[in-house]
């Protein structure tokens, strides 16, 4: 099984954008991530490839935080529909996510936004898949509480 580099590029970009909150910086970090990844073409396992991509991206994001103390928020634009509901639900979700630790937010983003396999996330965070599953369930439970809802999407 092989992965599509184009598909992973978009996911790594979203990951970087969530971490650094600045479009141009996220683009630069994503490009640097793939340049560094291509320097190591000997990885042929999907798990190893994904782990390497997210490790490189995470390290570059951390380096960016060391360089700058402030980060700009990306511009959010609604794509039609009921704009007020979209803004309110987005705001509520951002508030709920802000209550999580950085690591918990990253785990949720990797799993549900970027659809990274559990075994890759587990390796990135040095934990077993069982421990990761428990942690994700705990995080989702807290998000349910924060949002005051029975179910999440």
């Amino acid at each position: 099984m092989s992965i599509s580099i184009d598909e992973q590029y978009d996911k790594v970009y979203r990951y970087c954008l969530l971490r650094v909150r600045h479009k141009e910086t996220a683009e630069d970090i994503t490009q640097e991530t793939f340049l560094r990844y291509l320097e190591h073409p000997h990885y042929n396992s999907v798990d190893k490839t994904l782990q390497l991509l997210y490790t490189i991206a995470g390290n570059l994001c951390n380096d960016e935080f060391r360089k700058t103390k402030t980060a700009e928020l990306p511009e959010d634009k609604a794509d039609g529909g009921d704009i007020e509901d979209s803004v309110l639900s987005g705001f509520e979700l951002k508030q709920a996510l802000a209550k999580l630790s950085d690591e918990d937010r990253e785990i949720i983003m990797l799993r549900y936004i970027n659809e990274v396999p559990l075994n890759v996330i587990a390796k990135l965070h040095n934990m077993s898949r069982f421990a990761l599953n428990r942690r994700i369930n705990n995080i989702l439970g807290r998000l349910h509480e924060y949002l005051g809802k029975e179910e999440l999407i």
Side-chain angles (χ1 to χ4, degrees):
M1 180 168 132
S2 65
I3 64 167
S4 164
I5 294 297
D6 293 336
E7 181 181 313
Q8 293 308 314
Y9 191 92
D10 292 338
K11 290 179 179 183
V12 170
Y13 169 74
R14 282 194 308 254
Y15 170 76
C16 294
L17 184 60
L18 180 76
R19 300 262 328 257
V20 299
R21 302 181 190 273
H22 187 263
K23 183 180 175 183
E24 289 81 16
T25 304
E27 289 170 355
D28 291 344
I29 291 172
T30 303
Q31 288 177 357
E32 182 64 23
T33 296
F34 279 86
L35 287 174
R36 291 185 185 191
Y37 166 75
L38 292 173
E39 292 173 357
H40 303 282
H42 58 281
Y43 288 102
N44 55 8
S45 160
V46 173
D47 292 348
K48 293 281 187 200
T49 296
L50 292 175
Q51 185 177 353
L52 180 60
L53 285 171
Y54 285 106
T55 299
I56 294 169
N59 288 339
L60 290 171
C61 289
N62 291 339
D63 291 346
E64 183 62 30
F65 281 121
R66 287 186 199 108
K67 284 192 248 179
T68 60
K69 295 295 179 191
T70 59
E72 297 177 33
L73 294 176
E75 294 180 27
D76 290 331
K77 298 179 183 176
D79 294 331
D82 189 355
I83 294 174
E84 186 175 328
D85 285 345
S86 175
V87 169
L88 288 176
S89 64
F91 180 72
E92 290 170 354
L93 182 58
K94 282 183 181 179
Q95 282 185 319
L97 289 170
K99 293 178 182 179
L100 298 175
S101 70
D102 289 341
E103 189 172 335
D104 286 350
R105 237 185 343 266
E106 180 178 316
I107 288 171
I108 292 300
M109 194 272 308
L110 286 171
R111 182 68 185 134
Y112 294 106
I113 295 174
N114 284 0
E115 300 171 345
V116 175
L118 284 173
N119 55 337
V120 173
I121 299 170
K123 288 176 185 173
L124 282 170
H125 290 277
N126 296 318
M127 62 176 67
S128 70
R129 286 182 55 183
F130 179 74
L132 178 63
N133 259 331
R134 267 195 334 243
R135 185 161 180 185
I136 287 173
N137 288 333
N138 181 292
I139 296 167
L140 292 176
R142 284 185 283 144
L143 284 174
H144 286 242
E145 283 178 31
Y146 298 153
L147 291 171
K149 296 184 179 180
E150 298 272 328
E151 292 183 33
L152 288 176
I153 297 173

